[in-house]
Amino acid sequence: MNIKPLAFRMRPRSIDEIIGQEHLVGEGKIIARMVKAKQLSSMILYGPPGIGKTSIASAIAGSTKFAFRTLNAVTNNKKDMEIVAAEAKMSGKVILLLDEVHRLDKAKQDFLLPYLENGMITLIGATTSNPYHAINPAIRSRCQIFELKSLVTDDITKALERALHDEERGLGAYKTEVSYDALTHFATASNGDVRSALNALELAVISTEPDESGTIHIDLQIAEECMQKKSFSHDKDGDAHYDVLSAFQKSIRGSDVNAALHYLGRLVEAGDLVSIARRLVVIAYEDIALANPQAGPRALAAVEAAERLGFPEARIPLANSVIELCLSPKSNTAIVAIDAALSDIRSGHSGDVPDHLKDAHYKGATELGRGIDYLYPHDYENGWVKQQYLPDKLRSKKYYKPKKSGKFEQALASVYENIEKKK
């Protein structure tokens, strides 16, 4: 058995062998042009795990014949970088693949920057995090940033078939028959992660006894057993996690039940009850709010039920809440109103509290003019009397602008408009 996993052995040796990422390595595309001209610039490749960041880096090095070294920004120290720098001085240029580049500390960064400036080291940084959020500007400004896309099922199937027939690096030395259903499962259950698909295929081949003719048969059941831990990929700390949460809220806001349930399912499959709970309660008060004021308490009740039940049963109250929130009338007037008020305050537009509203529950308040001429609303018909409440400089300001998408806010709007007319 080869010690190195199949995914490592099957890394492309040139950009012609790269599967997917046509927008970067296809004919006439940016990385292909760089390689053809042998004019590489430092770059950062980012995207989900297992889609070819390291493969592209090794393929670039293989296509250009430059020395290629791999380090990790977390586990490798400054001494390791000094060794790469010494090699760059001797050979003239080294391509350095730096994994987890967003974790590069200041000491390593300061050491690396001069070599990036003079071109002796061409950095290819790999990260699953959005570099515009996670990478120090000093490094980011010296690199081109390329986003890698998730591989589609056909891409992964192509990689699997290539590995099955490659006798030098792959599984071609084995006499193997993989059913169509099994191959499809490897390609789809990996969720775009070609690394996990290849390694699961290798596990299936080397752990399955051949028949009397020496043939190894891989069926759907074997594929499911080998892929079970990778049937769904979700990094709770990565960009993909926040993208799913964003899509989840926007789908509910847009009243798309099916999309919202899909994203809920992804979060449930990831076991992320905390994020689901927080987001549902936020949605209930941000996007539904006064159009259906009971949505908030009911969302909270669903969250509490889910927390008591735990997964897998927790999915049931969560789904109930998602469907209700999707199909509820929507209003964002509360968040818009408070944000408008905060905007004025933070911009210095506040002013003094009117004297008649100031606290008058202390000795000497009257002498200071505090609370004088205050009109107590309960002494008047319908509990309302005309008087000024906002500071003078904001006396005509209106923050709340009601919508009439739900019966409750329609009623509020009617009262609000009546009061404004009386003013």
Side-chain angles (χ1 to χ4, degrees):
M1 188 191 303
N2 197 310
I3 295 175
K4 294 178 179 177
L6 180 62
F8 182 90
R9 304 196 310 269
M10 291 302 299
R11 283 179 179 171
R13 293 164 292 192
S14 68
I15 64 167
D16 296 330
E17 293 184 2
I18 293 173
I19 293 173
Q21 314 307 336
E22 287 293 318
H23 64 296
L24 297 176
V25 299
E27 183 67 29
K29 300 302 180 182
I30 181 64
I31 291 180
R33 294 204 309 270
M34 283 185 187
V35 170
K36 186 176 181 180
K38 291 184 170 52
Q39 291 292 327
L40 298 180
S41 62
S42 292
M43 66 186 75
I44 294 170
L45 307 175
Y46 85 101
I51 62 170
K53 296 185 289 293
T54 305
S55 294
I56 287 182
S58 60
I60 289 172
S63 297
T64 57
K65 308 304 180 185
F66 292 128
F68 176 59
R69 298 293 174 262
T70 301
L71 296 177
N72 185 293
V74 179
T75 58
N76 290 106
N77 55 34
K78 184 181 171 184
K79 183 68 176 177
D80 297 317
M81 290 189 177
E82 290 172 351
I83 294 171
V84 174
E87 185 175 358
K89 289 176 182 177
M90 292 179 62
S91 63
K93 181 179 273 299
V94 168
I95 296 176
L96 171 63
L97 171 65
L98 191 59
D99 209 2
E100 303 277 354
V101 66
H102 63 283
R103 301 285 297 276
L104 196 66
D105 64 36
K106 190 175 187 304
K108 296 173 187 173
Q109 173 188 299
D110 290 345
F111 175 79
L112 196 57
L113 286 176
Y115 294 95
L116 301 186
E117 293 281 7
N118 62 29
M120 294 179 71
I121 293 178
T122 297
L123 173 68
I124 303 181
T127 177
T128 57
S129 297
N130 188 326
Y132 293 101
H133 299 157
I135 293 179
N136 190 292
I139 291 290
R140 195 175 66 229
S141 66
R142 290 165 173 81
C143 299
Q144 297 198 52
I145 296 175
F146 300 124
E147 180 180 9
L148 274 63
K149 306 297 184 182
S150 294
L151 298 177
V152 298
T153 302
D154 287 347
D155 292 331
I156 297 177
T157 301
K158 183 178 179 181
L160 293 170
E161 290 175 338
R162 180 185 289 179
L164 284 168
H165 294 99
D166 190 315
E167 294 186 8
E168 178 190 350
R169 299 179 295 156
L171 302 169
Y174 295 90
K175 188 178 179 182
T176 307
E177 288 186 4
V178 182
S179 74
Y180 173 80
D181 288 344
L183 195 67
T184 300
H185 184 72
F186 283 125
T188 56
S190 59
N191 197 41
D193 186 338
V194 69
R195 183 193 299 121
S196 69
L198 285 168
N199 291 339
L201 174 64
E202 182 174 39
L203 174 61
V205 170
I206 65 177
S207 64
T208 302
E209 291 289 333
D211 63 12
E212 291 125 356
S213 68
T215 302
I216 297 170
H217 297 275
I218 308 297
D219 58 18
L220 178 59
Q221 182 180 351
I222 294 172
E224 288 175 340
E225 289 173 355
C226 293
M227 284 297 301
Q228 62 179 342
K229 291 185 178 179
K230 288 295 295 181
S231 61
F232 182 78
S233 174
H234 187 96
D235 179 3
K236 292 183 183 180
D237 297 319
D239 283 348
H241 171 67
Y242 296 102
D243 289 343
V244 171
L245 283 173
S246 176
F248 179 52
Q249 179 161 0
K250 288 170 182 172
S251 297
I252 294 176
R253 182 184 295 149
S255 303
D256 191 322
V257 175
N258 298 305
L261 288 170
H262 169 77
Y263 294 117
L264 173 66
R266 288 168 71 160
L267 293 164
V268 167
E269 194 70 9
D272 193 2
L273 181 54
V274 173
S275 292
I276 298 170
R278 182 179 182 276
R279 194 58 63 114
L280 279 179
V281 176
V282 167
I283 291 167
Y285 286 98
E286 178 180 345
D287 295 304
I288 287 59
L290 296 173
N292 178 10
Q294 287 305 308
R298 281 202 289 265
L300 184 58
V303 164
E304 290 174 346
E307 289 172 342
R308 289 195 180 189
L309 290 169
F311 288 128
E313 289 83 0
R315 74 191 189 283
I316 303 168
L318 295 176
N320 275 269
S321 183
V322 165
I323 293 168
E324 178 187 357
L325 294 176
C326 273
L327 300 180
S328 286
K330 307 295 191 292
S331 175
N332 68 340
T333 54
I335 186 173
V336 169
I338 186 60
D339 284 352
L342 287 170
S343 177
D344 271 351
I345 293 163
R346 290 165 182 168
S347 300
H349 303 302
S350 54
D352 292 333
V353 174
D355 285 343
H356 62 279
L357 299 183
K358 291 180 178 177
D359 180 26
H361 293 88
Y362 59 92
K363 189 175 181 180
T366 303
E367 285 76 4
L368 293 173
R370 305 296 194 252
I372 298 174
D373 298 327
Y374 171 64
L375 305 177
Y376 187 57
H378 295 293
D379 291 340
Y380 297 85
E381 186 178 356
N382 297 322
W384 184 86
V385 62
K386 181 179 178 180
Q387 69 181 325
Q388 181 183 331
Y389 291 95
L390 277 168
D392 287 341
K393 64 192 299 185
L394 297 171
R395 62 187 305 166
S396 299
K397 193 76 175 183
K398 291 181 173 61
Y399 296 114
Y400 176 56
K401 298 176 182 178
K403 290 184 177 180
K404 298 183 179 180
S405 51
K407 290 182 178 179
F408 183 80
E409 194 163 17
Q410 287 176 19
L412 293 182
S414 177
V415 174
Y416 179 72
E417 289 165 2
N418 188 40
I419 290 173
E420 290 300 307
K421 286 178 184 177
K422 290 180 178 178
K423 284 184 180 179

